[in-house]
Amino acid sequence: MIVVGLMMGACFADPPADGGGSASGTTSDAETSTSSTGDSTETTDAASSSSGLLPDTSSSSSTTGCEDGELDCPCFPNGTCGADLVCAVETCVPNQCGNGMPNLGEECDDGNPIPGDGCAADCTYETQCFVGNFGGNPIRLASFAIDRAGNIGHRATTTTVGESLPPQSFSDETSVTRRGRFVYLANDDTIESFEVGLDGTFTTTSTDLQIEGLLGLATDRRLPWVLAASDNGQFALRRIEGAPNGANPEVAETLDVSLSNGSNAVLLDFHPQLSVAYVLVEPADFANNVEIVTLEFNAAGDLGPAHVEVLSNIGFVRGMRAVEQPSQLLLTGTFYALDGNGCFGRIGLLGNGRLTGVEPDANCMSPWGGYVGIIQPNPAGPVLFGTTAPRIAEWDGEGDPVNTVQTTGARHFLRQPWPDTLLVASDSQLLTVGLDGDGATTRVLDSVALESEELAPEDGNNAAFQAGVMLPCPDATGP
């Protein structure tokens, strides 16, 4: 689901949020004692007047001399306008490209002609770049362009000193995130930032933010800050802010969280609508129960309170996503309590984003291996899982998943560059797959093997994808 900004002048947002996976067991709710350190600083992000979620877009325009349904006047109460006009942000505007409302024949319309925001001046989608961390020593960051036909082409590669991202993590997906055109990389105990040009090339902007025991990073398209998790004897969550353009990240706030079993690694995700983040914590010894931290934050970005739920008898999870409809948190992976089979299930979410409990799960199939990637392209459609089998599995909410697309490699990272296209990144292959109107897979569009000389680590091993993000990169001919 590509989200197109409806505000005049608003930028095309990040690629769409993904669906999620699940588990089996019971929860015991134990609120943590928390302490906050560090200064909370205001941000001057160009896209928002605060460091919270999207600005208020409610209409407060004067209607003096205006008739509902006329040009530059309020829309009719039913959301329509007069002839040759459309309703955009409660105002009637011309039915043409650039009005902020996707009309018939337009792929997108963000109300501006600015390149690099995902929607071109002619109201067509711009080419997207997948920026991946391919590990190795030194670490490789590489960009691959994906055009509207699903064709994949290598754009650029950069390197940075390091060996793994981060070494503690069981899910490397937490090692890379982005804010605007800046990519943040968790390199051991250092957060590095790189600016990605419109042509997919890299410029290093910061390499000196140190956080001992760094476990992972994540952000949400609505926020001008990044969430970082770490454990150096004390588990902590940090709000990372930077300059308005995303460069020079700094720690703005630290929130200590008490855990029962310590931490070895984390998975991070944000609620699709609420000011809530979810941090799934793998226990330090891999033998105790997984814990989930439900972190609330306010419009200013202040962290807390944090609540901790224990997922009884679950010792290992490979994926987590918060899904919009119905409101639930999906987990997926290989659970100790279920004899090592690949399993998934659901955790219900209350209206305030808190967990309601883990549903009993019967969807465990040893031949499929672990489920390691999750996406729900259409909130009303099936959930797609990458598996270690390796293949893509499709689940409509009942019974067992259905095998759809054969892949290679064991690690799967699923993203949706276009409404009708799925990107699958494994540890040995990039693959694009067509999607129908319901978000179900149709056919393979293109594939690229990650064995090129530019991506091969110096030790001679093949490239091994670990994590990635997506952002527009229109400055090139073709992929």
Side-chain angles (χ1 to χ4, degrees), residues 169-182:
S169 183
F170 67 92
S171 175
D172 300 304
E173 187 171 330
T174 62
S175 67
V176 178
T177 191
R178 62 161 285 209
R179 177 186 166 198
R181 300 207 65 83
F182 287 81

Side-chain angles (χ1 to χ4, degrees), residues 128-423:
Q128 292 278 332
C129 262
F130 173 70
V131 176
N133 154 32
F134 294 90
N137 184 9
I139 297 163
R140 260 70 170 174
L141 284 181
S143 62
F144 289 83
I146 303 166
D147 67 14
R148 279 299 284 122
N151 298 312
I152 306 170
H154 183 214
R155 283 280 183 88
T157 299
T158 190
T159 61
T160 183
V161 176
E163 295 188 23
S164 59
L165 305 172
Q168 307 98 319
S169 183
F170 67 92
S171 175
D172 300 304
E173 187 171 330
T174 62
S175 67
V176 178
T177 191
R178 62 161 285 209
R179 177 186 166 198
R181 300 207 65 83
F182 287 81
V183 171
Y184 296 88
L185 174 70
N187 181 357
D188 200 356
D189 288 342
T190 302
I191 297 178
E192 302 183 17
S193 65
F194 302 82
E195 183 175 13
V196 182
L198 296 181
D199 59 355
T201 57
F202 299 91
T203 302
T204 302
T205 55
S206 176
T207 60
D208 57 4
L209 178 56
Q210 300 285 322
I211 297 179
E212 292 188 20
L214 182 62
L215 294 172
L217 306 170
T219 192
D220 183 87
R221 73 188 66 185
R222 302 166 294 176
L223 302 174
W225 47 270
V226 171
L227 182 65
S230 64
D231 194 335
N232 189 36
Q234 169 64 60
F235 187 79
L237 300 172
R238 290 177 169 84
R239 185 176 82 249
I240 308 297
E241 295 185 356
N245 62 2
N248 303 317
E250 296 180 351
V251 176
E253 182 185 8
T254 299
L255 182 72
D256 293 334
V257 180
S258 298
L259 300 176
S260 301
N261 302 314
S263 61
N264 179 77
V266 296
L267 289 169
L268 303 150
D269 199 19
F270 288 82
H271 192 284
Q273 294 95 15
L274 304 178
S275 298
V276 175
Y278 301 100
V279 186
L280 187 145
V281 183
E282 179 72 28
D285 57 6
F286 288 101
N288 290 301
N289 299 321
V290 165
E291 297 179 87
I292 293 183
V293 180
T294 303
L295 172 69
E296 300 177 29
F297 52 90
N298 62 21
D302 300 323
L303 304 181
H307 317 276
V308 176
E309 274 87 9
V310 178
L311 305 185
S312 299
N313 300 318
I314 296 176
F316 189 76
V317 178
R318 290 290 303 187
M320 176 179 70
R321 284 285 178 252
V323 179
E324 291 192 38
Q325 297 175 350
S327 185
Q328 58 185 323
L329 188 67
L330 298 184
L331 302 178
T332 180
T334 303
F335 306 143
Y336 288 159
L338 300 172
D339 301 323
N341 292 337
C343 309
F344 61 87
R346 294 154 289 174
I347 300 178
L349 301 180
L350 298 172
N352 61 2
R354 295 289 302 277
L355 309 184
T356 62
V358 182
E359 295 185 8
D361 177 83
N363 296 294
C364 301
M365 295 163 293
S366 181
W368 287 78
Y371 296 92
V372 295
I374 314 166
I375 192 171
Q376 188 177 33
N378 185 331
V383 175
L384 306 180
F385 297 92
T387 81
T388 57
R391 54 176 70 99
I392 303 300
E394 189 173 293
W395 182 58
D396 62 6
E398 298 181 1
D400 293 336
V402 177
N403 177 22
T404 58
V405 178
Q406 186 74 31
T407 64
T408 64
R411 181 184 287 111
H412 289 80
F413 180 91
L414 308 179
R415 287 295 182 266
Q416 187 183 5
W418 318 113
D420 56 1
T421 306
L422 174 71
L423 171 70

Side-chain angles (χ1 to χ4, degrees), residues 10 13 24 36 47 56 110 138 152 225 250 269 279 305 362 380-381 430 446 449 465:
S24 164
S36 180
D56 184 9
D110 60 1
I152 306 170
W225 47 270
E250 296 180 351
D269 199 19
V279 186
L430 295 183
D446 195 12
F465 167 74

